[in-house]
Amino acid sequence: MSDIRSIDDINARIKSGDVVVVTALEMKDIVAEKGPEKAAKEVDVVTTATFGMTTSSGAFLNFGHSDPQIKMGGGEILLNDVPAYAGLGSVDAYLGVTQLSKAHKIEYGGGHVIEDLVGGKSISLKAYGSSTQCHPTREIKGEFTINDLNQAIMVNPRSFYQRYSAATNSSDKVICTYLGELLPNFGNVAYFSTGSMSPLYNDPTYETIGIGTRIFLGGGVGYVIGEGTQHSPKAMSGSLMVKGDMKKMKQRYLRGASIKNYGTALFVGGGLPIPVLNSNIAKNCGVTDEEIKVNIYDYHIPTRVKPLVKKTNYKELKSGKVVIGEREVKSSGLSSIKIATEICEKMKEMIEKGEFFLTNPVERITLESVTKPMKLLYVKASDVMSPAVTCSPEDSLKDVAKLMLEKKQDYMVAVDKQKRLQGVLTSWDVTKSIVTGKTKVKDVMTLQNVKTSRKDEPIEVSVRKLEQYGVRGLPVVDDDGKVLGVVKMRDVTYKVKG
Amino acid sequence: MSKRILVLFPNKGYKESLLHEIMLKSGTVFNTINTEVTPTHTKIMGEIKGDEEKAGEFMRILKRRGGIVRELDVMMKFDQAKCVSCGMCVSLCPTKAILYNKDFSVKFDFNECILCMRCVENCPVNAVSYLGD
C-alpha cells in the first residue's frame, strides 16, 4: 500500500496548525460513512486511549546519596511501608504496583505510593543496607516528595494490553478475582479494556507503532520502548513496554487500586496517536466494538484453561447486559471508557495546539512472539490415573458384576465402540439393581453430569473435584471424549505415599 | 417520589401499629423492605412514598415517637472526584442504585439502595463509603 503522507508531513502540519486530528470514536463514524480511502485523505491522526487497571507497572526511583553514604542496593527499601526492589545500585529502587504494604496489606500498595508521589505527597523512606568501607551507613529514615528525587521514571513492562477475556461464575459461591467479585449463579460479568478505542486494536499489525513512538502516559509524555511482556500479536493479544517521566504526570491518570481479596494495582491512563499514513491504517482504525470478539470464561474453575461460557463482543459487553442462556446478566468493565474518552480528547487538543508531535519509530515491534504457559514440575492426572476397566452400556449387569469381582473393581466406565465415555457404574449401582430388578448397565449407570478430568490437569484440581462432588473416580477423557484412564482417590494417596 | 430511610427503635420502643398510625397522620405510604429485630433494637428499612413535605412529616413524627431516622442518600456517600468510572460496582449492584450515564460515568441513586455494601467493599479507589448507622 503506498503511503499518502509521512509522519514528517504530519509534523509539518502540526507546526502550521493545519493538522486534522480525530478521536478513535470519531474515526469509526468517518470510516463507516465515507470509507477508508476518503477517511485517509481527510484525517492525519487518530487518537486512541485506555484507562485500565494494570499490574505490570512500576517506577525506577533514584534517591541521591546520603552523607555518609548508604548501600541500599542488595539491602531493603521501604516506601510508606511498601517494599521496593533493592537489587540495583546503591540508591536506586524499582517500585512495583502490586507490592503490598507490610502493615496495611491490600489496602495500600505500590500503586498507591505511585499515586501519592505523583500527587505531590510526602513519602516516608526506610532503608537498610550492609555497611561497607565506602558506604558505612547501615540504616536511614527519611521523607521525600517526587521533587526531591533525581529520577522518577515510570517503566511499565506490560501496557496497552490488547486482549482480555471476560469473566463470570457458574458456582453457588462468591469468588474474588482480579476482575473483582464474581457473584454466584452467573450473577454478573466483568471485563477489561476499552474495546475499539483501545490503541492496539486500531493498529493490530503495528504498522505505525514501534520503539520510540511518543505516547501519552499518566498525564505526561512517554515512549514505547519495545514489546511488552506476554506480547502475542498473532492472537490479537499484544502489549507494549513503555516509559515516561513521572515528574510530569498527573494523579488523575494514575490511581492506586485495591481489589478485594486479590491485591493492589495501578489504574494507568495511556494514549497512543496513530498517524494515518494510508487507507489500510484508516481501515484498521475503523474497527468497531461489534467486530472485537471476547470470550466469557467461567472463573470458578481455578485452572489456567477455563470453561468457555459464551463468545461475545464489546458491543454486547458495553451495553451493560449479556445474555447467557435464558437470562440477562449485568456486565460492567474495569477500564474506564469515560477517562479513556477524555484522554483521546486531550491528546487531540495537544496535537492541534502543537504541544505534541509524532515520532518515527526506530524499530518495529515483533509480530512473531507467542505467549507460552509456565513450565512447571507438577503431578498431572495422567501421572496417577489407572487404566479404566470398561464395559458397554448394553452389557448385562450380571456379566459386568462378574468382571468387577474378577478385576477387583468397584468403579467401571461404560464406553461406546470408539471408547468414548457413555457413563459410569459403581458397585453401589449394582447393589441398587438387585433391588430394582434392572438387568442392563445402561439402566443403572450414571449418565448425566459425569465429572471428568483431563490428562494434563494438575492433580490438585482432580482431588478438589473428587472431594467437591463426592465421587469415587473421575474418568480422564481427551478432546473427543475418549476415555484414557480413571483417577481415583486411592491412586492419589498411593502416589503421594510413594 | 420515594425516599429510602432506615429507622432504629432502641429497646422496646417499636410497636407494629406505629408505622400505620404515622402513615395515616402524614398521608404517606411506607413500604417496609427489611426488618431486623434484636434484643436491643428494632431496625426497619423502608421507602416512603409521597411528596417531599409529607415524607418530611413522616420522619418528624417518627423521631417524636422515639425512632432514630437515617436517610440513605445521606448515609451512603459517593465521592465523584475519587471515582475513576471503572464500573466495577455497576454489575455488582443488585438494584438500580448504580448505573452508567451515557458517557460511561457512574451515577448513584441511593433511594434505590438496599445497603448490601457490595459497592463499598469492592470499589478499588474507595469512592463509595457508608457513614454508619
Side-chain angles (χ1 to χ4, degrees), chain B residues 68-126:
Chain B
I68 297 162
V69 181
R70 298 265 190 272
E71 294 160 59
L72 256 61
D73 52 356
V74 179
M75 280 162 66
M76 294 290 296
K77 192 170 160 259
F78 169 54
D79 189 339
Q80 184 86 57
K82 269 191 179 176
C83 177
V84 294
S85 306
C86 73
M88 187 191 269
C89 53
V90 178
S91 70
L92 290 173
C93 179
T95 67
K96 286 185 176 140
I98 315 175
L99 297 169
Y100 280 121
N101 283 312
K102 226 179 163 187
D103 69 349
F104 283 93
S105 57
V106 177
K107 67 173 167 197
F108 280 73
D109 178 1
F110 292 118
N111 283 315
E112 293 284 339
C113 176
I114 55 166
L115 292 179
C116 76
M117 300 291 155
R118 277 189 199 143
C119 56
V120 176
E121 287 167 11
N122 281 283
C123 177
V125 294
N126 287 324

Side-chain angles (χ1 to χ4, degrees), chain A residues 24-69:
Chain A
L25 290 183
E26 289 166 347
M27 186 65 171
K28 320 262 166 229
D29 292 342
I30 297 171
V31 174
E33 194 190 315
K34 302 181 175 171
E37 305 283 340
K38 218 163 167 213
K41 275 196 192 113
E42 286 178 17
V43 177
D44 296 312
V45 184
V46 178
T47 57
T48 63
T50 173
F51 183 90
M53 215 178 303
T54 67
T55 48
S56 278
S57 296
F60 284 103
L61 309 173
N62 179 282
F63 301 95
H65 285 286
S66 60
D67 192 11
Q69 281 171 287

Side-chain angles (χ1 to χ4, degrees), chain A residues 8-21:
Chain A
D8 294 334
D9 295 338
I10 293 172
N11 283 337
R13 284 167 65 81
I14 295 175
K15 213 169 188 177
S16 65
D18 301 322
V19 70
V20 178
V21 191

Side-chain angles (χ1 to χ4, degrees), chain A residues 181 255 258 260 330 332-333 336, chain B residues 82 84 86-87 91 93 95 124:
Chain A
E181 224 171 53
R255 299 289 304 279
S258 296
K260 188 182 169 191
K330 272 191 183 183
S332 60
S336 177
Chain B
K82 269 191 179 176
V84 294
C86 73
S91 70
C93 179
T95 67

Side-chain angles (χ1 to χ4, degrees), chain A residues 281-327:
Chain A
I281 295 171
K283 184 174 139 258
N284 287 336
C285 287
V287 67
T288 62
D289 280 334
E290 205 171 353
E291 288 162 345
I292 303 174
K293 307 290 175 218
V294 191
N295 290 340
I296 305 176
Y297 290 104
D298 188 351
Y299 269 56
H300 99 275
I301 307 283
T303 47
R304 193 179 62 87
V305 181
K306 298 181 193 308
L308 177 68
V309 174
K310 186 183 178 171
K311 286 180 184 222
T312 181
N313 55 54
Y314 275 103
K315 192 182 175 192
E316 188 180 21
L317 287 173
K318 284 186 185 176
S319 77
K321 275 184 220 141
V322 174
V323 178
I324 296 177
E326 299 274 287
R327 64 176 96 188

